[in-house]
Amino acid sequence: MTTDPPACDQEPIRVPGHIQPQGFLLTIDRKSTEVLRASANAGSCTGVDAGDLLGRPLDATGLLPAVLLTDILAHEPQPRLSRTHGIAAFTTGHYLVTSHVSGDERVIECEFIDPAFKGSLDLLYPDMRAAIESLQQDPTPAALFQNTARIVRELTGFDRALVYAFDAQYNGVVVGEDRNDRLPSYFDLRFPASDIPAQARELYRLNRLRLIADAAYAPVPILDREGPGLPPLDLSYAVLRSVSPVHVEYMRNMGTASSFSVSIVVEGRLWGLISAHHAQPRSVPHHVRAACDFLAQIMAMQIEAHTRSSHAAERVERQAVQARLLASMAREEHFVQGLVRHPEDFLSLVDAHGAAVVLNDACHTVGAAPDEAGVAALVAWLAEAHGDRDIYSTDSLAEAYPGMAELAGGEGAVAGLLAVQISQVHRSYVLWFRPEVVRTVRWGGDPRQAKTVSAGRLHPRLSFESWQETVRHRSAPWTEPQLDTAALLRNAIIGIVMRKAEELADLTD
Ligand code: BLA
């Protein structure tokens, strides 16, 4: 009997039990300050063996200089935010000491400072100011993405920096790139959602920075003090957290020896990542990581601003059509006439090619729409499958609607559907249709081979060669302002219907 290998999104990346070797880690009990855990390399980094640290109060170990010790013990860091305490010198060099809270423990991380990377955030300040000003001046999102990639590559000295944006299904597209000739271009390539599985995306939404300085690293185990078993150590906020072995293999297959990525979080959602690669192992010092995090946040704000202003412009564009349509509906004897007798406005309201109004079993269509039987079948399916929703939309009816093949009007003619339910009781709907837009997308490697299983283990794909796919049976996507416009029309119709009903009641009184 064979057992299925665990899925990508099941890998417990927050509790790997190991760290990366560019530093060492201790944890102390938040109350007693007893050293509960130490990474196995503590001894080789400091000259004090992990075994001599475990089980002793931190101040009795003599490991850290008094100033750092005092700072650590005097300040309880906030959850999710690590605190920088200062620099400690050990036999192997200087280390930056930071700490954060994880459960009942305080995690103290000592990260090796590469003497080649001297600097500080205040020395970077003039460059940061110039960078932020230039990001704020980028006229289009494309220019913003390109500029961000350029700045991050300049700050980190990596061979390639990418801006990677997720779509609604969490596939990603490279929308900005800056590079030298050592690594190939991935610009405009798409990558499947499984490349960055759900638990990784959730972690990256919470913790915006991660560094894999050398993909060929040997993970260092974390040792527990003797005595009753400790719970697994959550390293979600640790800079030294050891990363998924599948991902390290992915990096090797991609030809990237080091990787640094920063999350772009827009309105609480992981919008994308800035992902930088180097063909050789390479580190990114703490102050440069912090600078990149600032930039990613500025970029997120700029994305929000661009989206808001383009939505506002789209709404303004639609306002005149909407006003005319509302006036027509109010003027005509019946609101349905207000729509179907003004097909141009009715369709352009949401950029559709066809539409139908279904009211008490009567069906009126305009433009490129299925025939009456087709509309009736669609409405029956909508009421059954999505009857609880006022508004339903899809850009691929072929994917969503099982009866698609029988729908007269042809698959291409009605690839997208936007439906507004006016009354549940009477199965009344306004429907808009959009035709198919055939697109070509280029993937970074064949997405059907995104993962393979061998010897009971998951492996990422071997090749990232561009792979072309023709996307069929999809319309242009419905935008948020278009969905809002449809909702407004729904309210207007309900208002008109109610007013007419009241007038009728007054007459019969
Ligand atoms: C993590 N995958 C990641 C990360 C990136 C990517 C950026 C974050 C870590 C880092 O900064 O390197 C993927 N990198 C990309 C993509 C591009 C890029 C798409 O530059 C495009 C240009 N990965 C797989 C498969 C699995 C998988 C099959 O291909 C399933 C087991 C898993 N990827 C995976 C996991 C992580 C990850 C588990 C989390 C790593 C961690 O933080 O521990």
Side-chain angles (χ1 to χ4, degrees):
M1 201 180 81
T2 55
T3 44
D4 285 340
C8 291
D9 58 4
Q10 300 300 311
E11 201 181 331
I13 61 171
R14 293 177 180 232
V15 288
H18 290 75
I19 58 165
Q20 298 181 49
Q22 66 268 22
F24 64 95
L25 170 151
L26 305 173
T27 78
I28 56 173
D29 184 298
R30 277 167 71 184
K31 291 203 187 78
S32 70
T33 83
E34 176 196 348
V35 178
L36 298 178
R37 321 190 201 226
S39 58
N41 61 347
S44 59
C45 294
T46 65
V48 185
D49 245 26
D52 295 333
L53 298 168
L54 292 168
R56 303 173 66 189
L58 184 62
D59 57 357
T61 62
L63 183 76
L64 293 171
V67 246
L68 294 186
L69 195 64
T70 313
D71 197 68
I72 290 174
L73 299 180
H75 297 101
E76 177 83 335
Q78 294 169 21
R80 291 181 48 180
L81 206 62
S82 59
R83 190 183 162 87
T84 302
H85 302 290
I87 292 171
F90 296 109
T91 45
T92 45
H94 289 84
Y95 288 75
L96 184 73
V97 182
T98 58
S99 80
H100 67 277
V101 167
S102 177
D104 291 334
E105 294 168 64
R106 178 91 162 248
V107 180
I108 303 171
E109 292 183 272
C110 300
E111 189 187 353
F112 179 69
I113 301 174
D114 188 334
F117 291 127
K118 284 244 164 61
S120 66
L121 204 49
D122 45 318
L123 287 177
L124 273 185
Y125 181 65
D127 291 342
M128 291 287 290
R129 249 186 82 158
I132 290 169
E133 274 168 24
S134 82
L135 289 181
Q136 284 169 333
Q137 280 158 14
D138 285 326
T140 60
L144 175 71
F145 304 150
Q146 212 54 42
N147 200 11
T148 307
R150 180 189 60 79
I151 296 167
V152 168
R153 197 163 91 79
E154 239 167 59
L155 281 168
T156 57
F158 271 46
D159 289 327
R160 180 178 63 201
L162 307 169
V163 173
Y164 185 76
F166 292 114
D167 67 15
Q169 287 75 42
Y170 285 103
N171 300 315
V173 186
V174 176
V175 292
E177 178 180 70
D178 193 63
R179 66 185 184 99
N180 58 26
D181 291 336
R182 271 193 285 274
L183 290 174
S185 170
Y186 283 164
F187 186 70
D188 201 34
L189 291 191
R190 192 169 291 256
F191 293 78
S194 58
D195 282 16
I196 312 178
Q199 88 283 28
R201 294 194 303 263
E202 176 55 14
L203 176 58
Y204 300 171
R205 192 177 69 80
L206 301 170
N207 178 357
R208 290 191 300 259
L209 291 170
R210 67 218 61 87
L211 172 68
I212 304 160
D214 181 358
Y217 75 92
V220 182
I222 300 170
L223 312 174
D224 291 3
R225 60 110 177 80
E226 282 177 8
L230 298 169
L233 177 63
D234 185 333
L235 289 179
S236 298
Y237 297 98
V239 277
L240 296 174
R241 180 178 63 84
S242 191
V243 299
S244 153
V246 186
H247 181 57
V248 171
E249 192 178 336
Y250 180 97
M251 285 175 59
R252 280 201 296 272
N253 295 355
M254 242 190 188
T256 56
S258 45
S259 164
F260 167 57
S261 65
V262 191
S263 313
I264 306 162
V265 179
V266 176
E267 288 176 348
R269 177 181 182 267
L270 187 67
W271 177 96
L273 303 173
I274 300 170
S275 163
H277 294 134
H278 205 59
Q280 300 298 320
R282 188 176 174 93
S283 191
V284 182
H286 181 264
H287 65 280
V288 174
R289 296 201 300 263
C292 291
D293 185 28
F294 276 133
L295 288 170
Q297 290 189 65
I298 302 279
M299 185 194 167
M301 283 189 239
Q302 289 300 102
I303 293 171
E304 253 176 81
H306 277 296
T307 312
R308 225 177 289 132
S309 73
S310 80
H311 282 182
E314 203 178 326
R315 286 196 176 95
V316 168
E317 236 173 70
R318 261 161 240 287
Q319 256 164 14
V321 182
Q322 196 176 313
R324 274 202 307 274
L325 212 52
L326 293 188
S328 312
M329 287 200 301
R331 210 171 38 239
E332 300 279 1
E333 197 177 324
H334 200 283
F335 81 86
V336 178
Q337 292 154 354
L339 296 174
V340 297
R341 285 188 185 159
H342 304 270
E344 257 175 48
D345 283 348
F346 185 19
L347 296 180
S348 69
L349 186 72
V350 293
D351 278 345
H353 284 223
V357 187
V358 178
L359 201 66
N360 302 327
D361 294 331
C363 173
H364 310 261
T365 62
V366 300
D371 62 13
E372 268 195 38
V375 172
L378 249 182
V379 162
W381 166 72
L382 274 171
E384 172 76 26
H386 303 287
D388 54 339
R389 289 163 69 168
D390 292 342
I391 304 225
Y392 169 82
S393 73
T394 173
D395 62 358
S396 179
L397 203 51
E399 214 170 76
Y401 173 52
M404 185 67 210
E406 286 88 55
L407 208 61
E411 291 199 353
V414 288
L417 167 72
L418 167 55
V420 160
Q421 181 168 238
I422 299 161
S423 159
Q424 262 180 356
V425 186
H426 302 293
R427 273 202 188 174
S428 304
Y429 283 89
V430 178
L431 310 173
W432 284 277
F433 306 104
R434 272 184 183 171
E436 176 181 29
V437 179
V438 181
R439 280 183 313 138
T440 310
V441 296
R442 291 191 310 133
W443 293 86
D446 182 346
R448 294 168 307 180
Q449 275 149 33
K451 41 187 183 248
T452 53
V453 178
S454 79
R457 274 199 53 214
L458 265 168
H459 298 276
R461 62 190 171 286
L462 288 168
S463 165
F464 291 85
E465 273 299 300
S466 167
W467 186 91
Q468 194 155 307
E469 182 195 20
T470 307
V471 178
R472 299 291 320 269
H473 310 308
R474 258 182 210 279
S475 70
W478 304 95
T479 65
E480 206 180 289
Q482 287 162 348
L483 299 180
D484 290 351
T485 304
L488 279 174
L489 188 83
R490 174 177 188 273
N491 290 344
I493 292 173
I494 288 170
I496 290 170
V497 172
M498 279 174 37
R499 202 163 52 244
K500 290 259 159 79
E502 277 166 17
E503 282 168 16
L504 209 62
D506 285 349
L507 283 178
T508 50
D509 265 352

